[in-house]
Amino acid sequence: MLDFSVLEPYIPLLATAVWITLKFTFFSTIMGFFGGFILALITLSKNRVLSFLAKIYISVFRGTPLLVQLMLIYFATPQLTSYTISALEAGVLSFGLNSAAYISEALRGGILAVDKGQWEGAMSLGVPKHRFLLDIILPQAIKNALPSLVNESIMLLKDSSLVSVIGVADTLRWADLIQAKTFRAFEAFIVAAAVYYVLVMALNFLGGLLEKKVRVSD
């Protein structure tokens, strides 16, 4: 017999857990975006050494499990640096680094999709390279790669549940603790699933609105 009323005393804790999930996803996405943009530029650069190293980075982070990366950063950082990294910091760092590898490929494709004539025109006019990249190339690259970027943000939101294994008090951790206290596993985890679903649908809706807005010029 289902009884969701047993969860009522824990609703304030759920609100805090959802906030942590959103905060974690936001910072991981921001880190992944800027890291991905830098990686995309490096892989497209004429410096073969840097381009090779960037491709190795992308290959490693895309070719190994995210959970393994999370565990390595959380448990190995204190061992290697003597810095006691918090669970949330380890989560943001590992997810951000991992996301950068995927976002870089999306942005690289977006950059390559920009008409080469714009590059040649900017060079002939003497436009500073950094201004050209930030003011002309980046907006178009984001526009071209927007569906992939939104999808990566959604994946980050769903995969954020992994940080519960290192003790971050996110939404899934809330459900795990509640079922341990009340022995009502179905109710706890179905609420957690519903929360993730609502958040994903909201992010998908916002992504759709943003995509329509940026494509008005088309």
Side-chain angles (χ1 to χ4, degrees), residues 44-66:
L44 293 172
S45 70
K46 296 180 180 179
N47 189 314
R48 293 185 178 181
V49 175
L50 290 178
S51 179
F52 175 75
L53 292 176
K55 289 176 181 178
I56 291 295
Y57 172 96
I58 294 170
S59 176
V60 169
F61 275 89
R62 294 185 67 174
T64 55
L66 177 54

Side-chain angles (χ1 to χ4, degrees), residues 22-203:
L22 291 173
K23 183 170 63 172
F24 170 82
T25 303
F26 174 77
F27 286 114
S28 298
T29 301
I30 294 298
M31 181 179 177
F33 174 77
F34 284 105
F37 179 59
I38 293 171
L39 279 173
L41 293 180
I42 293 175
T43 55
L44 293 172
S45 70
K46 296 180 180 179
N47 189 314
R48 293 185 178 181
V49 175
L50 290 178
S51 179
F52 175 75
L53 292 176
K55 289 176 181 178
I56 291 295
Y57 172 96
I58 294 170
S59 176
V60 169
F61 275 89
R62 294 185 67 174
T64 55
L66 177 54
L67 184 57
V68 173
Q69 298 166 18
L70 176 62
M71 292 296 190
L72 273 173
I73 290 176
Y74 183 58
F75 292 107
T77 298
Q79 178 184 344
L80 298 176
T81 66
S82 298
Y83 173 71
T84 305
I85 190 170
S86 70
L88 187 60
E89 289 174 336
V92 170
L93 183 59
S94 58
F95 275 65
L97 292 174
N98 180 275
S99 179
Y102 287 90
I103 290 178
S104 67
E105 291 297 279
L107 287 176
R108 185 172 68 88
I111 292 172
L112 291 174
V114 176
D115 185 8
K116 292 184 178 180
Q118 296 187 39
W119 295 84
E120 297 170 354
M123 292 176 63
S124 65
L125 293 173
V127 178
K129 190 172 182 178
H130 70 282
R131 296 310 319 167
F132 175 64
L133 288 172
L134 293 176
D135 297 339
I136 299 177
I137 296 300
L138 181 58
Q140 293 185 76
I142 293 175
K143 178 180 177 180
N144 294 331
L146 188 58
S148 296
L149 295 177
V150 172
N151 185 62
E152 178 62 21
S153 298
I154 290 174
M155 292 301 297
L156 275 176
L157 176 58
K158 292 193 295 184
D159 289 344
S160 68
S161 59
L162 291 175
V163 297
S164 64
V165 302
I166 59 173
V168 176
D170 71 328
T171 305
L172 182 60
R173 182 68 173 171
W174 172 86
D176 190 39
L177 291 174
I178 298 311
Q179 72 87 21
K181 289 183 177 180
T182 64
F183 301 102
R184 309 293 296 190
F186 185 84
E187 290 89 338
F189 286 108
I190 202 68
V191 168
V195 168
Y196 281 112
Y197 179 77
V198 170
L199 293 178
V200 167
M201 290 300 102
L203 187 56

